[in-house]
Every structure is written in C-alpha cells, then in structure tokens.
Amino acid sequence: MTSQTAMFSLDSQTRERIEQKFQEKIIFAEARKDKLLYVLEQELTEEETWALKYLFAYMPVNDMADYDGELFLNHVRQALDIRKRVPWGERVPDHLFLHFVLPYRVNTENIEDFRGILYNELAERTAKLSMAEAILETNYWCHEKATYIGSDLRTISPLTMIRNARGRCGEESTLAVAALRSIGIPARQVYTPRWAHCDSNHAWVEAWADGQWYYIGACEPEARLNQGWFSPPARRAMLINTRIFADYPGPEDITLNEKGFTEINLLENYAPARILYVSVKDRQGAPVSGASVRFELYNMAEFYPIAEIKTDEQGEASFKTGYGDLLVRAVSGGKWSEVLFKAQDGEHIELVLDSSEQSSGIVDFDMVPPPEGEGDAAPALSEEKTQAHNRRLEEGTKVRTEYEGTFLSEEEALALAQSSGLPPERVWDVLQKARGNSKEIAAFLEGHSGDYGEWPLRLLESLNEKDLIDTFRQTLDDHLMGALSQRGQWDEDTFVKYILCPRVSYEMLVPYRCLFGEAFTAAETTAFRKDPSALAERLKQGYAYAEDLPNLKGKGNPAGTYSLMKGDEQSLDILFVAVCRSLGIPARLHPSEQKPQYLNEGGWEDAVFRQDSSRNQESSSWGMLQLLRDSKGSQDTPAASYAENFTFARLEDGVYKTLVYPYGSTDVYDEPYEVEPGSYRLTSGIRLKDGTVRVRFTYFTVRAGDTARVALTYRETSVDIPVLGKLAPGSTLTRLDGTEVVLKDLLGTEGAIAAWIEPEREPTKHLLRELSELAEPLDKLDLPIVLVIGDAEWTASFDPASYPKLPARTIFVRDSSYASLSGFIPNPAAHEAGYPHLFVLDRQDQIRYAASGYKIGTGKEALQIATAILQP
C-alpha cells in the first residue's frame, strides 16, 4: 500500500486524516490490540485495508472495547463483495458507500455479523428491481419480520428484532437501515430527538436511489416512497437529524462535527425551517468562544436539549430549527444565561453570561410548538395498486403471525413447569416474554432447575423483559453459577436485586462473573468485600476515563470495558457494579442519580472514584425532597405523574440535570425523595390540545441532612369544549361475529368515545396502549368505547384478545365502506393525518372533541373532555 492510493475516491487530505486517527486508535486500544487490531496483519486487499482503517479511525470507544476485529473484517468483506453483486453497486458513489453502506452500526444496538444473513434474505427478492423498487420491497420484508411495540431504552440488534418480531420505532428503523445496507443501498436512520407538539419522539429511514434520498416508515410499508403517517407531525418538528460516525463533509447542513462524529440537519426536507444566530458575550461585552449553547424543547415534562453547539472564536453559534418556541441556554466557566425564545422573536439572540446562582420563586410561561401545516397533495393511487399494496400488507402480517406461532405455547410452558417443579404461572410469564428466544430460555430452566430449584427462574425474573429475547445459555449459565457461588449471608431480596441480577443499566448483557472472579486473588477479594471503596480505588487507578459519543455513553458492557481498560464515566460505573456483584458485594446505580453505590452495614454508600479520596461519602451527605400537594388546586388540576406532567432537576455546571425516576409514577407524595444537596428546579406542565404547554418553574434548594418541602403546583387552564358537529347515527357496522349493528345502538345515550383505527400502524398502537393505561378511570365513567376497523385496514392476524387491558365497555366493529366516518372529518388536514380518528360524543350525539393521526396523549385528552361534559 502506498500513500498515493485513490481507493474510495479519497483525496490526500482525507487519507491523511484517516491515517492519523487510525494511528491514534492503535495507541488507544493497546490493551486489546491482540483481539481487535490483529486483523490488519492478515492478507488483505487494498480496499479491505482502507475500509478497516476507516472503521477503526472513527470507531466509538465502546465498540473498541466490546467486539473483536474479526467481526469488523467480516462486515468489510461482505460489504465489498455485495457491492459487486447487486445491480446498482457501481452506481453508488464512494462517499455514500463509505458513510451509509459500509458502517456496521446504526444506533446503539449490539453489533452482530448480520450483513450476509440479511443479504441472503433479500438478494433474490430485489435483484430484478430498480433501486427505488428495492427500497419498497425491503420494507415489505421488514414488515414480515417485525411490527411496532413500545419498549425500554436499550436498542436491540437487527437479528434480535427478527427473533422478537416486534420493537419500538428506533429498533424498526435500525432493522430497515441494516437490511438496506446489506443489499448495497445507502441508508440512514433519521429522527426527531423530541417532538414539540406532543411528548415522545420518532425515528424513520432515509434511503438513496439513483441520485436522490427518499424516506420510508420502517416496517410500515407504503405503496410509494416519501409517504408515511408521520409526515404531518414531521412538519411541526424543531429538528430532524441523523448521526454519522465519521468526518462527513455534507452536502447537507452540518449541526455538529466533533472528533469524527457528525450530525446533519435534515429538517428543511420535512418542515419549514429558519436559522437562529446566537451571540454569547461576557459581562464586559467580549465574545465567549467555546461556550455551550443548548437549544431546549419541552417534552416529557423536562427541557431536553435537541441540539448543543459550541460557539466559535467570535462567540457565535447558529442552529437551523422550526417555527416554535425554544429555551436557549448558554454555559461557560460556571456562568450561564438563558432566554425563552419565541417563534415570532426574529432570528438573532444575544446572551450575556452573568448568572452563577439560580433564580428563586416561581416562573410561568408558555411553550408554543410550530403550527400545523399542509403537505403537497400526492396523486391518488390506482385501485389496482391500492389493492396490491393491501394484499402485501396482509401477506406480510400472515408471515409474521405464522412465525410467532412457533414460540413456545402456554401448554408447553406448563409441561416444563411440571417437569421442573416450578410455578406454572411464573414459568409462562418468562417464556411468553422471551418470544422467539423462548426455546433457549426453556432449555436453561430445564437444564438447571433440577440442581438449583427456583434460582434459575429467579435469575430470569430479575432481568428486564427485553433481556429475555437476546440473552443466551452461555451468559445465563455464567451469571447463575457465578452468583450462587457468592450467596453469602445476605437476605434473599438483597441477593436477588443486587448480586444475582446482572442488569445494571442499559448495557448489553454478557458473561463476566467468571472473568471477574478470576481477576483478583483470594486475599484481594476478601479485602474488597470488607471495604468496597478499595475496589473503587483499584479500578480508578487501573482504568482510564475516555469520553464516548453522546448516545453511546453507558452502553459499554463490563467485560469489554475491563479488557480495554478505558470507558466513559457511565460505563466505568457499570463496571464497578458488575465487579462488585461478581465478588458477592451488593451494588447498584443510585435509582435517580445513577451513581455507583455499594451496600454495607450502614446502608448504601457512594463509590467515590477520586485518586485522593481515602473515605467514601457518608449517606448523611444526602438530602430529602418532600413533594406537597397543591392546597389550592382545582378539580381540573392533573394528577401528578413523573415525566408526564412534572420532573425535577439539579443544577450542575450551569445545566439542569433531570433526575431519573420511573415514567408515570404517581406515588410522588408518599415518601420523600433521597437526592443530593444542591439547587433544584421543579418543572410542571399542562399540554393543551394544540400542543402548547403551560409551563411552571419552581426553584428551591436541598441541603445536606435536611428535608426540603416543595408544593407541586400547576398553572390553571380553562378547557374549551366546543360543539364540533353532530354524528349521523344511522351507519350500519358489522360486529366481529358477523352480525350487523347500527352505530347509534353501540353508542347508547350517555355519551361515548369512538375511534376509527388501523391496528397495524404505530399511531393506533399508541392509542390502544393509552386506553389500556386509562382503563380504570374510563371504567368509572362507564362509557362505551367503540373502535371501528375498515376492511382495508383489517388484517387476519388482528385479535382483540391481544388487548386484554382495554376498558370493560370496549367493542371492536368493522365498517366495510367507512361511510360512517366521512362526515366526521371534513377537514383535509385530518384526512392527511390519517388514523386513528378519535371522537368524544356527548349525550346528544354531538362531537365535543376530535383528534386525527399520531399524537401522544390523545387518550388522556379524551378522558378529560368526557369527564367534563358528562358531569351532572
């Protein structure tokens, strides 16, 4: 190889930059050189060498820790080979191949050798198609493999997604991007970090065909490109972007490019956009370079930074965003400044860093999202194409449903329980959650229950639900044997939660008990058990802090971090907890602060990773926060729900850090929260129907050893409940048993909630989940809830029994023509927003609330309206 190579059309400057970063990684990964970099000593082509160097040069810290070089070499060889096999391989420019085909990582998923497997699935199906047709066909294949379900923050891999047959949008899009890249089509996961008009976020896919990028909804096929249920909400986004693990030169707008990590801004492809220009100065009026400028959006009751940009030498930063409100905060050197930037305020913001102490009292303000906008009207599909598309959806659902039928059944779980002497209900609960991995989990139970009784089952029950679909025998065996050998004198509850359980945060579960058990001498292990702070010191002296990419912090598995001897702060914390548990020391990350702690006779103590520390912080250094009910609250005041309508955050280095507690927890007044001393901000919010949020900040201080008592209050809001129209009650529908019924007979005389739904799509699944979560208050209202499915939206696999937690008076019916719906949604925007179309009706069959399409919180809004109009 010579420096004159033009491989992948790399110019000399780019080659030099890759070579420089690669040489830095050789030094950085010295501890894993034999496992990671040895592949470069194999016989490689020039293409393979440069492709590997490119991947290593920009590789995240956790990937260098967690995986071996052979995995990356396989990805390189398969990507290069597939490029020669697919008909469009030569038409994909080198720079697109490097950035959007070659990469092995999409999100934060576990990396597997998936490329050849997915290629073999798709190659024949797409070989005779155009690139655009191949993108559509790949999405039909993804629909056969998986559908939407909400889940926790850990992103499962493409192969695990196939095994599970369902996942959240970030996992659906990870699968679709991996599948497209596996047939040589450039693809990227794009997302809005947080919506402005409702809570949550969304991810989808862009794919390149013959000179143009198109978008698709992953695992939710449409008959054409650039179409999806998320198109209307995307027009209200404040940021839509994607991440690239490289120095990416564009041509798209670049929001961030640091240390070989690039974020590009794609907003203007979806929504009206404008550029905000921020100037940061000190008290003397001098520009402040290197200040962090945070553009924060209200979502899930916190202010989330959708972008964080450093100022240049002139103290300036710019950000392309939508036409909604933002909280803009600049921080540098312990000083900060913050402004509520309204959509109508222009484009220039000047911030003077003059604050070092937080505000006091209560501050109220509104956050207004971008307005709804209409998209370009697409030509109607022919009846033939529509029917063909619906047939493909039905076929895909049937393929997926037949696969799900291969999962272990309840009868098989009962038989296993009986033969193993285990409780049948608990065994079925675990195997049902394991889905496509159920046979692996069953084999683990069958192999060990005879010798260890319920302990194998207890181990499985200690895991997160998602762990059961991608944790295999080798890992489970290691954790079971390693933990039971450290049973000690701890009570059973402590042992299960803080020693037996291998789950620490959202890292990938791997076997590590044997590794850590053999890493220390018997004398060292005894000393660490006596004084776990010595273990903290040992790890801190031997292991180096290495900043990882923002979305990969805390994702390193303990075995990888241990072998690389480097990791980001969160991954090092996870390592400490994992080593403790392996040595029989109860350990955890603090439930809200996420700091490593170990248990001793006096309770939980922090593991202090400081070279000069000789003692741990005493638990008395913590303070308590007692939330108080609002004594002046009206009947319209919402029930407190953490991360739904309130959060609290501590001021750290000029930035408010939201404390982590379970989403939706309502027992917030029962016991005080244990928190670190400091300055705090309580955020409460009430979101209105148009997406506007009535925000309240309450500032307070928590002191060590004291209890701060703070009233959780909300701003008063008046809900407008106009009459939007009247139902034509004569429509004839069909019950699921085939009998006909008039819509009016289903609705009754006391009011009702009615929704026209599309069960296979994510927006409807969100609504069904919300209705299930609200079953208790909806049952108290005793309202009929009529859910209508059209023939075109019906799938043979749909089973109402899959939603057992829906309110008691829920009924599903079919509407062959959807004629009953036409009078409900005269607004063109509602037609474009798509399903579900939800309505609340009063006793006179008048429509008092209407919502169409994707919007988190629709179920709760419908409940509030129904409660208000039906009060005597």
Side-chain angles (χ1 to χ4, degrees):
M1 186 190 340
T2 70
S3 61
Q4 302 302 313
T5 180
M7 193 60 61
F8 298 121
S9 305
L10 299 174
D11 58 44
S12 60
Q13 185 177 2
T14 301
R15 293 197 304 270
E16 290 174 5
R17 184 164 59 248
I18 291 174
E19 186 67 38
Q20 177 186 351
K21 289 181 176 293
F22 171 68
Q23 293 299 328
E24 292 171 355
K25 288 297 178 67
I26 289 178
I27 298 172
F28 181 87
E30 176 65 27
R32 296 204 74 235
K33 181 172 62 177
D34 294 343
K35 294 283 188 180
L36 185 65
L37 302 174
Y38 73 96
V39 292
L40 288 157
E41 299 173 2
Q42 298 186 23
E43 186 174 342
L44 304 173
T45 67
E46 195 173 25
E47 272 189 322
E48 291 169 347
T49 299
W50 272 106
L52 274 174
K53 284 190 172 186
Y54 170 84
L55 292 183
F56 283 130
Y58 298 109
M59 190 171 289
V61 174
N62 289 336
D63 291 355
M64 304 194 81
D66 294 350
Y67 307 103
D68 292 346
E70 195 68 31
L71 176 62
F72 303 120
L73 178 57
N74 286 344
H75 270 282
V76 163
R77 284 178 167 165
Q78 290 171 10
L80 294 173
D81 179 58
I82 291 168
R83 190 183 192 188
K84 297 172 184 175
R85 292 173 180 265
V86 294
W88 44 78
E90 293 183 356
R91 301 206 301 273
V92 176
D94 283 353
H95 77 279
L96 290 180
F97 176 81
L98 280 173
H99 294 116
F100 302 111
V101 177
L102 179 64
Y104 56 86
R105 174 174 291 290
V106 179
N107 194 302
T108 60
E109 74 278 12
N110 179 48
I111 305 304
E112 298 170 325
D113 195 2
F114 64 79
R115 199 176 294 258
I117 296 172
L118 301 189
Y119 171 79
N120 290 335
E121 288 266 333
L122 288 162
E124 187 173 341
R125 289 176 63 154
T126 58
K128 297 181 180 179
L129 302 178
S130 67
M131 289 188 80
E133 292 168 336
I135 294 168
L136 293 172
E137 182 63 29
T138 299
N139 209 20
Y140 281 120
W141 175 86
C142 290
H143 172 67
E144 295 171 11
K145 299 301 179 184
T147 189
Y148 176 83
I149 189 173
S151 63
D152 68 35
L153 295 176
R154 186 167 69 86
T155 303
I156 57 178
S157 70
L159 298 185
T160 297
M161 184 69 167
I162 294 171
R163 185 185 310 114
N164 192 44
R166 63 189 190 186
R168 56 178 169 79
C169 60
E171 294 163 333
E172 290 179 304
S173 49
T174 296
L175 170 62
V177 169
L180 289 163
R181 290 178 178 178
S182 294
I183 55 171
I185 293 179
R188 58 198 185 195
Q189 182 187 61
V190 301
Y191 44 90
T192 177
R194 292 291 189 275
W195 293 114
H197 68 288
C198 70
D199 294 323
S200 192
N201 58 5
H202 188 55
W204 59 93
V205 172
E206 287 188 348
W208 184 91
D210 297 316
Q212 184 174 345
W213 286 98
Y214 300 89
Y215 70 82
I216 58 173
C219 302
E220 297 182 313
E222 300 286 354
R224 56 188 165 203
L225 299 173
N226 287 348
Q227 184 169 311
W229 60 259
F230 52 87
S231 298
R235 287 197 291 275
R236 305 184 73 184
M238 293 293 284
L239 175 65
I240 293 171
N241 65 355
T242 191
R243 292 166 170 157
I244 302 163
F245 301 100
D247 289 311
Y248 180 70
E252 300 90 345
D253 290 315
I254 295 174
T255 302
L256 178 68
N257 189 339
E258 291 184 355
K259 301 177 181 178
F261 173 71
T262 307
E263 287 188 0
I264 58 175
N265 192 333
L266 305 170
L267 179 65
E268 64 183 355
N269 295 337
Y270 298 88
R274 44 95 177 262
I275 299 176
L276 299 185
Y277 300 92
V278 181
S279 174
V280 181
K281 299 180 180 179
D282 61 20
R283 286 181 174 178
Q284 288 71 44
V288 179
S289 65
S292 175
V293 182
R294 296 162 58 93
F295 299 88
E296 299 181 342
L297 193 65
Y298 179 96
N299 191 285
M300 298 180 71
E302 69 168 342
F303 277 82
Y304 180 88
I306 57 173
E308 187 171 355
I309 301 172
K310 300 287 187 182
T311 55
D312 59 20
E313 292 182 358
Q314 287 73 45
E316 297 176 347
S318 62
F319 174 52
K320 180 173 286 186
T321 187
Y323 285 84
D325 297 349
L326 286 168
L327 199 63
V328 183
R329 188 178 184 91
V331 182
S332 179
K335 303 284 187 179
W336 66 84
S337 180
E338 182 177 77
V339 62
L340 173 62
F341 188 78
K342 307 296 287 184
Q344 65 271 20
D345 285 349
E347 297 178 339
H348 294 273
I349 306 170
E350 181 174 304
L351 294 170
V352 178
L353 301 182
D354 57 2
S355 298
S356 58
E357 295 184 4
Q358 76 167 2
S359 303
S360 60
I362 293 176
V363 177
D364 293 341
F365 58 96
D366 288 352
M367 289 291 291
V368 181
E372 293 184 2
E374 293 188 18
D376 298 330
L381 290 172
S382 67
E383 183 64 23
E384 181 182 3
K385 285 189 175 181
T386 299
Q387 290 181 358
H389 171 65
N390 290 338
R391 185 170 61 250
R392 292 296 305 273
L393 291 179
E394 183 70 27
E395 291 169 353
T397 301
K398 183 179 179 182
V399 169
R400 188 175 64 251
T401 303
E402 288 176 349
Y403 164 67
E404 290 176 309
T406 67
F407 300 168
L408 287 183
S409 66
E410 188 171 4
E411 291 74 18
E412 291 170 306
L414 175 61
L416 171 62
Q418 289 175 338
S419 65
S420 303
L422 297 171
E425 298 83 2
R426 290 167 59 193
V427 171
W428 172 232
D429 181 62
V430 166
L431 294 181
Q432 190 176 25
K433 292 173 181 175
R435 294 179 60 80
N437 199 38
S438 54
K439 292 182 175 65
E440 182 86 358
I441 298 299
F444 170 72
L445 286 173
E446 193 171 30
H448 293 300
S449 296
D451 294 329
Y452 301 105
E454 285 193 9
W455 283 118
L457 181 59
R458 296 288 297 274
L459 170 62
L460 296 171
E461 290 173 331
S462 76
L463 304 178
N464 291 347
E465 182 172 336
K466 192 177 287 185
D467 297 332
L468 296 171
I469 61 174
D470 64 358
T471 307
F472 305 123
R473 285 286 303 274
Q474 179 188 6
T475 299
L476 294 170
D477 289 349
D478 173 82
H479 288 292
L480 178 67
M481 306 304 182
L484 291 180
S485 68
Q486 305 295 337
R487 179 72 176 84
Q489 302 302 312
W490 299 105
D491 66 84
E492 194 167 286
D493 186 59
T494 297
F495 172 72
V496 171
K497 288 183 179 179
Y498 305 117
I499 294 179
L500 176 66
C501 178
R503 164 63 57 213
V504 180
S505 181
Y506 290 109
E507 76 285 0
M508 183 67 188
L509 292 186
V510 298
Y512 59 68
R513 306 262 184 174
C514 181
L515 171 68
F516 297 149
E518 296 176 353
F520 307 101
T521 66
E524 288 174 325
T525 299
T526 300
F528 294 153
R529 288 176 183 156
K530 184 177 180 181
D531 180 14
S533 66
L535 174 60
E537 281 298 316
R538 170 73 171 271
L539 292 177
K540 195 59 179 178
Q541 290 171 1
Y543 289 78
Y545 169 78
E547 182 76 7
D548 211 338
L549 301 181
N551 64 328
L552 286 172
K553 291 179 180 179
K555 301 298 191 298
N557 75 64
T561 304
Y562 179 81
S563 63
L564 185 64
M565 303 184 73
K566 295 180 179 70
D568 62 84
E569 187 174 4
Q570 295 173 45
S571 295
L572 289 170
D573 291 346
I574 291 168
L575 172 64
F576 172 78
V577 173
V579 174
C580 280
R581 293 182 183 180
S582 299
L583 301 182
I585 304 167
R588 69 176 188 180
L589 298 182
H590 185 274
S592 65
E593 301 292 345
Q594 298 296 292
K595 295 185 177 182
Q597 295 183 315
Y598 58 85
L599 187 64
N600 66 12
E601 295 178 358
W604 290 103
E605 293 197 15
D606 297 339
V608 181
F609 289 148
R610 290 203 305 266
Q611 298 295 336
D612 59 351
S613 65
S614 57
R615 293 180 56 83
N616 287 286
Q617 293 175 331
E618 299 294 333
S619 58
S620 62
S621 67
W622 292 74
M624 306 298 286
L625 166 60
Q626 177 68 64
L627 289 181
L628 306 176
R629 297 180 188 274
D630 182 6
S631 59
K632 300 179 181 179
S634 68
Q635 62 181 10
D636 295 327
T637 300
S641 178
Y642 197 82
E644 188 174 6
N645 55 36
F646 89 94
T647 57
F648 40 86
R650 185 177 59 256
L651 184 62
E652 290 186 1
D653 299 324
V655 172
Y656 281 98
K657 173 188 173 185
T658 301
L659 274 62
V660 179
Y661 291 103
Y663 174 82
S665 57
T666 57
D667 55 344
V668 301
Y669 305 110
D670 298 348
E671 299 289 339
Y673 293 88
E674 181 186 59
V675 297
E676 287 192 314
S679 299
Y680 282 80
R681 185 180 73 190
L682 171 63
T683 300
S684 65
I686 297 177
R687 193 180 287 278
L688 306 183
K689 187 177 182 296
D690 68 355
T692 297
V693 183
R694 299 283 169 82
V695 181
R696 168 164 290 174
F697 283 162
T698 303
Y699 296 96
F700 61 95
T701 300
V702 176
R703 293 179 175 82
D706 288 343
T707 299
R709 292 174 172 82
V710 181
L712 172 55
T713 63
Y714 297 86
R715 294 175 61 192
E716 290 188 9
T717 58
S718 58
V719 180
D720 184 26
I721 312 178
V723 175
L724 302 175
K726 190 162 184 177
L727 169 68
S731 303
T732 300
L733 307 173
T734 306
R735 300 179 191 269
L736 297 192
D737 63 7
T739 60
E740 292 188 345
V741 62
V742 177
L743 177 58
K744 174 62 177 174
D745 294 340
L746 295 175
L747 299 176
T749 60
E750 66 270 39
I753 294 175
W756 278 252
I757 65 174
E758 193 174 16
E760 278 293 308
R761 299 288 188 177
E762 180 178 335
T764 289
K765 292 183 179 183
H766 279 298
L767 175 62
L768 293 175
R769 174 184 56 79
E770 290 182 19
L771 292 175
S772 297
E773 293 172 349
L774 297 168
E776 183 177 350
L778 286 169
D779 284 340
K780 289 180 179 178
L781 283 181
D782 196 28
L783 282 181
I785 298 174
V786 182
L787 302 179
V788 188
I789 309 171
D791 284 351
E793 287 68 37
W794 179 268
T795 59
S797 64
F798 175 69
D799 183 4
S802 301
Y803 302 95
K805 297 180 180 180
L806 284 169
R809 294 193 64 187
T810 302
I811 182 170
F812 290 91
V813 291
R814 295 181 64 173
D815 182 354
S816 59
S817 64
Y818 264 22
S820 62
L821 180 61
S822 60
F824 278 65
I825 53 171
N827 186 344
H831 282 281
E832 187 189 9
Y835 301 99
H837 300 286
L838 182 142
F839 307 91
V840 177
L841 308 171
D842 63 18
R843 293 181 175 91
Q844 289 75 45
D845 297 329
Q846 298 177 123
I847 301 169
R848 308 301 297 275
Y849 172 87
S852 295
Y854 170 85
K855 183 184 175 186
I856 304 298
T858 298
K860 184 158 288 188
E861 287 182 357
L863 170 64
Q864 292 170 343
I865 298 297
T867 302
I869 64 175
L870 297 177
Q871 287 175 347

